[in-house]
Amino acid sequence: MAKLIFDAHLDLSMNAMEWNRDLSKPIAEIREREKGLTDLPDRTKGTVSLEEMRMGGIGLCVATTIAPYKRPGIFNTPFVQGWNSQEQAWAQTQGQIAWYRTMEEKGELVQISNLKELKAHQQLWESSSDVSKLPIGYILSLEGADSIINMKYLEKAYNNGLRAIGPAHYGPGVYAFGTDSTGGLGENGRSLLKEMERLEIILDTTHLCDDSFWEALENYHGPLWASHNNCRSLVPNNRQYADEQIKVLLERGAVIGTVFDATMLIPGWERGKTTPEETGVGLKHVVQQIDYVCQLAGNAKHAAIGSDLDGGFGKEQAPIDLETIADLNKIPELLKEKGYSESDIDNIMYKNWLRFLEKAWG
């Protein structure tokens, strides 16, 4: 079997509840059912199913809920449905959680919310010679905090197992400014961070615009990571991190997950126009991003995987040598070719996330 892999960013419930994909089915069946659909650019090109995750050894992941509040006249993400009130957004996240619970009842998933559960799940996967029937462990995260109506709802979310929050997604949010926007946290954002710190919810800095990023680090003193973020020096774009941002994250003990979205792997990608075939974008570019973080850190203890596969894109915007998420297990060989040791590769593929959680939850 493939070695254990920990992917720190997968929008599983969004794919199930908004894209209407039955992730318990084989990937070929998911693609077949989408033939003729034109509502999304990645129809028939999805890469994620629970079966493919098991085939690739991806036994642990951070799985999201996501529901932006779409205020009149305010830019929101072009990739995810926006809701006209925070109450609707909250209800949408609860529907997504209901899907996770249903998958748990079916034996497909198991929620991981503390260190004891994490250790037990790791042991289960590492001791099994056949993982094809094992549940995949997921840690619940919220991508964009718009759906948190007030701090009472944050505590409700925590009691439902929420363990990480990215305060913003795209554009101006209720609590912070995200990708393609500019602005600080404001009173709402600072209140959110204070309560997150009290509850020991991990701060996911991914998607925070530069102003909100720096203000968040000033106001939050708990555990933080960047679940899915690449490097601005390699691909100039406000969605990536500049070196000084990466360095301060390293100083704070963060782990940074590398994204497999082609728009973040090579410069100049035009969404909907550029293709993997014409550019040759590949898993080698994923490894380039991983290596860049390792070089800044001086070690391999802070770089990891946060693929974001099927996070609003499919094969049309993914590495050309990736057919499904199972191909994450090609990364170790590419790292080995680049001179990484076996222990370094294990760190990057899963141990860095485990070590982070052991400290955050210990």
Side-chain angles (χ1 to χ4, degrees), residues 250-285:
L250 298 176
E251 292 169 5
R252 293 279 292 267
V255 177
I256 301 169
T258 297
V259 190
F260 287 52
D261 185 341
T263 66
M264 300 175 62
L265 292 175
I266 58 173
W269 186 282
E270 291 187 66
R271 197 180 297 271
K273 294 182 179 180
T274 311
T275 67
E277 290 75 17
E278 71 186 63
T279 61
V281 62
L283 292 171
K284 64 182 179 181
H285 294 97

Side-chain angles (χ1 to χ4, degrees), residues 99-224:
W99 177 80
Y100 285 121
R101 297 283 187 255
T102 306
M103 290 298 101
E104 290 181 59
E105 291 175 6
K106 194 175 180 180
E108 297 277 5
L109 298 173
V110 60
Q111 189 179 58
I112 308 295
S113 60
N114 58 52
L115 190 55
K116 182 180 178 181
E117 293 168 352
L118 180 67
K119 290 286 189 182
H121 188 75
Q122 179 187 356
Q123 183 178 12
L124 174 66
W125 269 72
E126 291 186 326
S127 63
S128 179
S129 59
D130 180 11
V131 302
S132 63
K133 302 299 182 183
L134 293 183
I136 295 165
Y138 76 97
I139 296 158
L140 191 62
S141 177
L142 176 62
E143 186 170 25
D146 290 1
S147 60
I148 302 297
I149 298 170
N150 57 48
M151 294 308 105
K152 290 181 181 179
Y153 283 83
L154 180 62
E155 190 147 11
K156 287 182 183 181
Y158 177 83
N159 291 334
N160 278 333
L162 182 67
R163 292 296 179 265
I165 295 178
H169 191 221
Y170 277 79
V174 174
Y175 296 100
F177 285 76
T179 301
D180 293 336
S181 67
T182 303
L185 298 178
E187 185 176 344
N188 282 344
R190 290 189 291 273
S191 296
L192 176 73
L193 292 181
K194 183 177 180 180
E195 189 66 3
M196 284 173 58
E197 191 171 328
R198 183 184 74 82
L199 293 169
E200 298 183 344
I201 295 174
I202 297 161
L203 169 62
D204 188 349
T205 63
T206 306
H207 278 295
L208 289 173
C209 77
D210 289 359
D211 292 338
S212 286
F213 172 91
W214 291 112
E215 191 174 349
L217 266 60
E218 289 175 7
N219 284 273
Y220 179 86
H221 307 287
L224 51 84

